[in-house]
Amino acid sequence: MKIEIAPFNSSLYKQALTLRNHVLLKPWNLVFTPTELEEEKNQVHIVAVEEGEVLGVVILKELDSSTVKMRQLAVKEKDRGQGIGSELVAFFEEYALENGYTQIELHARERAVRFYTQLDYERIGEVFKEVTLNHYKMVKNLE
Ligand SMILES: CC(C)(COP(=O)(O)OP(=O)(O)OC[C@H]1O[C@@H](n2cnc3c(N)ncnc32)[C@H](O)[C@@H]1OP(=O)(O)O)[C@@H](O)C(=O)NCCC(=O)NCCS
């Protein structure tokens, strides 16, 4: 398994989009809007790939010169529990540091809070609704 950056609109990007749709949207009858997808051309698409198959994905979006948002982390159901999610987060953090960012923010679905806590992300603030689901804001300082 290799972790790499998929160029926007490449075939790896499209596979990752299918995976995100399947894991993060479809179960809740959500869809990507054209505007959301258009904005993704300015974001970094990190994928876990094995023999041409995308097993996991995470996206880096710049918020300001020091802060990035971690979004759309998803691993194929059959491949969970093998460290792929943690490896994607580690790659994301390394990429962020190498590119001069010092702070990571994310909106964690309630069920994923434990996963991020294990990776030293800190929950801040109260629960809030996003795409109909309970979420918590979480942050990690890389300095
Ligand atoms: C959250 C997610 C990305 C973790 O990916 P993963 O590859 O299973 O993660 P890892 O193998 O690195 O496991 C790390 C921890 O996740 C948890 N985990 C393991 N298998 C899991 C599973 N099938 N479902 C949920 N959590 C699981 C465990 O607590 C594990 O800790 P451990 O190492 O002490 O056992 C993955 O479960 C997923 O895609 N979930 C659905 C989408 C989602 O919720 N994304 C986050 C949105 S904010």
Side-chain angles (χ1 to χ4, degrees), residues 1-3 12 23 32 37 43 49 58-59 67-68 70 72 75-76 78 83-84 86 94 106 110 112 120 134 142-143:
M1 200 265 300
K2 192 171 166 254
I3 304 217
L12 287 178
V23 173
F32 292 114
L37 293 181
Q43 301 172 17
V49 188
V58 66
I59 300 178
T67 313
V68 283
M70 185 185 293
Q72 297 273 299
V75 172
K76 272 193 181 168
K78 68 174 175 57
I84 296 174
S86 309
E94 208 169 301
L106 59 89
E110 203 162 26
D120 296 329
N134 280 348
L142 299 175
E143 284 174 308

Side-chain angles (χ1 to χ4, degrees), residues 51-116:
E51 293 175 2
E53 181 191 357
V54 171
L55 307 183
V57 58
V58 66
I59 300 178
L60 179 147
K61 176 186 178 183
E62 185 186 75
L63 294 181
D64 60 45
S65 60
S66 60
T67 313
V68 283
K69 182 168 182 181
M70 185 185 293
R71 54 181 300 264
Q72 297 273 299
L73 174 67
V75 172
K76 272 193 181 168
E77 201 159 4
K78 68 174 175 57
D79 299 303
R80 289 184 197 157
Q82 296 171 42
I84 296 174
S86 309
E87 283 189 51
L88 282 164
V89 171
F91 188 103
F92 182 112
E93 291 176 0
E94 208 169 301
Y95 180 96
L97 263 179
E98 279 171 4
N99 287 278
Y101 300 103
T102 52
Q103 178 91 3
I104 300 175
E105 278 186 26
L106 59 89
H107 294 173
R109 293 179 181 200
E110 203 162 26
R111 284 179 63 181
V113 166
R114 203 168 60 98
F115 169 80
Y116 293 115

